[in-house]
Amino acid sequence: MNIDANTKITGILGHPIHHSLSPLMHNTVFKHLGLNYVYLPFDVKPGDLKDSINAIRCMNIVGVNLTIPHKERVIAYLDRIDTEAELIGAVNTVKNIDSELVGFNTDGKGFLESLKNDLGFSPKGKRILMVGAGGAARGILVSLALGGAKKISVANRTYNRAEKFTGEFSDRFPSVNFSALPLENNALKNCLGDTDLVINTTSVGMNGDSLKLPLNYLPNSAIIYDIVYNPLKTPLLREAEEAGLTTHNGLGMLVFQGALSFKIWTDIDAPVKLMKETLAKRLFV
Ligand SMILES: NC(=O)c1ccc[n+]([C@@H]2O[C@H](COP(=O)([O-])OP(=O)(O)OC[C@H]3O[C@@H](n4cnc5c(N)ncnc54)[C@H](OP(=O)(O)O)[C@@H]3O)[C@@H](O)[C@H]2O)c1
């Protein structure tokens, strides 16, 4: 990589940031395509976010990604955000357009792209169970609703959070049949029988723990998508495989959200196959 006076700077702002795989993914692609860009990790504490966002303008940085804990608070420091990011209430990508800072959210769209490209699945008319009601779930829910899902059920450990979450979006998407469920097998059994897609959006699985869902109630055609990507094969995915169901891990979402950010900054289609291979080498099965 040759850094010179013309090198365009991109990067990621988060705290902590040392675990991020995005610098590896983007720098590999910049090098592969011969683009004079660099992607840097910036460890930005919450109190320094405003100054760091202003620095994007002052230092002519092309754009950045935002990760925990900055995705919501960054909105206050941007000039405008696109419609989907506004619905989600979070921004993970910023582009500096002639000193105007514009916010986007590629998390949910990346998830949808992975469904389409990796599994040939469209949410249109489908019945979907999401487990979890945290930050990642918001982006995914908005994309599924915009994609025409017929029914979205949200099961969460803290039931009140699922209820608040679905209540908020049922006003915005009146054509979607939303429901909130407690994360208990008896409640899930009734829902699973007519579910096309189950998505784990919780962090369960990262430490070898399992959600222990009653997967035998699902139709044989159902898909289990776990957005956890480290490890690549979570206990939930192992259980689903053993039950003969189609499974997919979070690497697809990670790659496609990155590919969409890349396109926003460079106007070039990212080589997603290379991105996926690069990350897979670093992750555990
Ligand atoms: N593949 C990708 O590109 C991608 C992108 C974003 C995030 N992720 C992954 O998605 C996961 C969630 O991220 P997030 O930002 O949404 O986190 P978050 O906002 O902290 O939400 C965490 C969710 O997990 C639930 N949860 C946590 N521990 C649980 C347990 N022991 N049993 C049941 N539920 C539990 C929480 O339930 P309560 O409400 O009850 O606390 C909440 O619904 C992380 O593993 C992250 O790495 C992947």
Side-chain angles (χ1 to χ4, degrees):
M1 183 179 294
N2 289 321
I3 309 263
D4 61 23
N6 297 313
T7 302
K8 294 190 162 87
I9 298 171
T10 62
I12 181 163
L13 278 57
H15 182 69
I17 200 63
H18 59 87
H19 64 282
S20 176
L21 294 170
S22 295
L24 170 70
M25 176 166 71
H26 287 289
N27 286 321
T28 301
V29 172
F30 290 147
K31 189 173 171 200
H32 175 77
L33 296 178
L35 297 174
N36 192 2
Y37 279 71
V38 67
Y39 186 103
L40 302 170
F42 295 104
D43 192 338
V44 173
K45 295 191 181 76
D48 293 329
L49 182 62
K50 186 177 179 185
D51 289 344
S52 304
I53 295 297
N54 274 333
I56 295 172
R57 221 181 259 117
C58 305
M59 294 167 63
N60 201 22
I61 290 172
V62 169
V64 293
N65 284 133
L66 282 307
T67 187
I68 292 172
H70 302 314
K71 288 187 184 182
E72 289 89 16
R73 285 193 49 235
V74 70
I75 292 173
Y77 310 128
L78 301 177
D79 299 308
R80 63 185 167 93
I81 63 173
D82 86 340
T83 319
E84 190 158 338
E86 194 172 354
L87 275 171
I88 297 166
V91 160
N92 80 330
T93 305
V94 171
K95 182 171 186 179
N96 179 359
I97 307 171
D98 299 328
S99 290
E100 187 189 30
L101 299 185
V102 186
F104 304 86
N105 193 312
T106 67
D107 283 332
K109 277 193 193 121
F111 176 78
L112 227 56
E113 283 292 300
S114 169
L115 277 184
K116 187 171 110 189
N117 290 283
D118 299 333
L119 295 159
F121 183 95
S122 159
K124 197 167 176 54
K126 297 296 195 314
R127 300 151 304 178
I128 297 159
L129 170 67
M130 294 177 56
V131 183
R138 283 185 77 87
I140 291 173
L141 181 143
V142 166
S143 285
L144 292 171
L146 289 170
K150 178 175 167 188
K151 183 178 172 208
I152 302 179
S153 308
V154 179
N156 197 44
R157 177 179 62 177
T158 310
Y159 172 70
N160 291 351
R161 207 170 169 198
E163 213 177 17
K164 192 162 168 258
F165 194 62
T166 49
E168 178 188 342
F169 287 108
S170 59
D171 289 345
R172 289 172 182 172
F173 298 104
S175 61
V176 183
N177 176 5
F178 285 102
S179 63
L181 300 169
L183 190 49
E184 287 164 9
N185 280 358
N186 277 341
L188 294 176
K189 281 175 190 168
N190 295 330
C191 173
L192 286 174
D194 66 351
T195 293
D196 302 301
L197 169 68
V198 177
I199 310 158
N200 173 38
T201 74
T202 75
S203 46
V204 177
M206 290 180 77
N207 303 311
D209 41 352
S210 173
L211 282 169
K212 296 257 176 270
L213 302 178
L215 299 175
N216 52 317
Y217 284 82
L218 281 166
N220 293 337
S221 56
I223 296 173
I224 309 288
Y225 197 121
D226 195 333
I227 74 163
V228 170
Y229 54 81
N230 198 5
L232 287 171
K233 199 175 278 187
T234 59
L236 172 67
L237 293 185
R238 270 187 219 286
E239 287 156 22
E241 259 181 26
E242 280 161 20
L245 300 164
T246 302
T247 62
H248 201 64
N249 61 46
L251 184 58
M253 175 178 173
L254 183 66
V255 164
F256 279 102
Q257 62 78 29
L260 290 166
S261 297
F262 182 93
K263 172 97 180 178
I264 287 171
W265 299 323
T266 63
D267 277 330
I268 295 170
D269 288 324
V272 287
K273 189 165 171 277
L274 173 65
M275 285 175 148
K276 201 174 277 182
E277 286 167 359
T278 304
L279 295 185
K281 277 189 210 149
R282 281 290 175 98
L283 294 165
F284 302 108
V285 175

